[in-house]
């Protein structure tokens, strides 16, 4: 919740807003992506909701995990920017 309060509920990569598109039913809905994969974080690690998490739509969240390791937010933003030209 802190991540969403900080960044908002739009996708950080493509700006998709579930509430604007689907209406009140989806208002405030967004996936939250761990910038560092949970499998790479030690058990004692405390996740910082601002520096470790980022809101992504379902599509961007899925695509970011299609590579191993997962692509970075910046890499996906470049792909989206190229496609929007």
């Amino acid at each position: 919740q802190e991540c969403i309060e900080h960044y908002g509920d739009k996708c950080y990569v493509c700006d998709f807003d579930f509430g604007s598109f689907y209406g009140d039913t989806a208002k405030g809905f967004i996936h939250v992506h761990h910038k560092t994969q949970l499998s790479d974080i030690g058990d004692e690690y405390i996740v910082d909701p601002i520096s470790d998490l980022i809101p992504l739509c379902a599509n961007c969240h899925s695509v970011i995990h299609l590579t191993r390791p997962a692509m970075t937010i910046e890499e996906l933003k470049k792909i989206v920017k190229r496609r929007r030209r």
Side-chain angles (χ1 to χ4, degrees), residues 10-14 16 18 30-31 55-62:
K10 284 171 132 179
C11 179
Y12 192 79
V13 171
C14 74
F16 184 79
F18 282 89
I30 192 77
H31 287 211
L56 297 179
C57 71
N59 285 344
C60 286
H61 199 195
S62 295

Side-chain angles (χ1 to χ4, degrees), residues 2-85:
E2 287 180 51
C3 171
I4 296 168
E5 288 170 5
H6 179 79
Y7 290 105
D9 57 7
K10 284 171 132 179
C11 179
Y12 192 79
V13 171
C14 74
D15 291 326
F16 184 79
D17 183 328
F18 282 89
S20 293
F21 192 85
Y22 294 106
D24 288 341
T25 301
K27 185 174 173 47
F29 178 79
I30 192 77
H31 287 211
V32 176
H33 170 69
H34 289 82
K35 292 180 183 178
T36 302
Q37 290 184 270
L38 290 176
S39 59
D40 295 338
I41 296 175
D43 291 338
E44 300 296 320
Y45 185 83
I46 298 174
V47 175
D48 181 293
I50 309 306
S51 62
D52 296 331
L53 305 174
I54 200 78
L56 297 179
C57 71
N59 285 344
C60 286
H61 199 195
S62 295
V63 170
I64 214 163
H65 284 288
L66 289 176
T67 61
R68 296 280 184 248
M71 67 179 76
T72 66
I73 297 294
E74 293 74 23
E75 289 170 325
L76 187 55
K77 276 187 158 191
K78 286 179 186 176
I79 292 169
V80 170
K81 186 177 180 180
R82 280 196 309 261
R83 298 291 183 232
R84 286 189 169 162
R85 289 184 186 168

